[in-house]
Amino acid sequence: MTRQWRYDEDRMVVGVLRVWMHLWGVDSRRGKKSLVKRITNRIDQRFNAAMAEIGDPDDARTAIFGVTVVTTDEPDAHRLMEKILYELEGCSEAEISRTEREVIHI
């Protein structure tokens, strides 16, 4: 039996979040890699989201993260992105300097 696609039930909403963070006390690629891994692991463990560093790995002072969340409802996507930003703001080893958000309906 083939299931027919219905927009009402089967819609997908993707929240895309880009976060620029200034890293405190990091002066090497190794130190940055370690801090980035701790930050991404924290988000991966606490949220149903995908997060990766998308910036220049040679820039030891700044990290740019790409985060995606998938849901069926736009308000849920916004809520999840807000919770992730709140969690990142609590990081004592880095400070958010800029964010961009987008919601895509598929």
Side-chain angles (χ1 to χ4, degrees):
M1 181 170 146
T2 304
R3 184 173 175 199
Q4 291 187 3
W5 188 84
R6 291 182 48 198
Y7 181 75
D8 304 90
E9 297 174 0
D10 298 334
R11 67 179 160 192
M12 182 169 67
V13 178
V14 180
V16 181
L17 179 63
R18 199 167 3 175
V19 182
W20 284 257
M21 296 187 82
H22 179 77
L23 309 178
W24 302 115
V26 175
D27 57 0
S28 69
R29 287 178 64 182
R30 179 178 283 176
K32 177 182 180 177
K33 185 176 180 178
S34 174
L35 179 54
V36 164
K37 188 171 185 170
R38 284 195 308 271
I39 291 171
T40 56
N41 285 344
R42 181 183 316 165
I43 297 302
D44 288 344
Q45 289 173 0
R46 295 186 181 171
F47 301 96
N48 189 15
M51 181 175 186
E53 183 190 10
I54 59 173
D56 181 7
D58 293 328
D59 182 0
R61 303 262 182 209
T62 304
I64 304 171
F65 294 101
V67 184
T68 58
V69 297
V70 179
T71 184
T72 59
D73 187 42
E74 185 171 341
D76 284 342
H78 285 291
R79 207 170 8 263
L80 279 168
M81 289 189 289
E82 282 298 320
K83 287 180 179 181
I84 290 168
L85 281 174
Y86 182 77
E87 183 71 28
L88 291 172
E89 286 172 354
C91 180
S92 62
E93 299 167 297
E95 178 181 14
I96 296 174
S97 59
R98 179 178 164 197
T99 64
E100 290 179 358
R101 299 177 215 194
E102 184 177 357
V103 174
I104 303 165
H105 294 263
I106 299 175

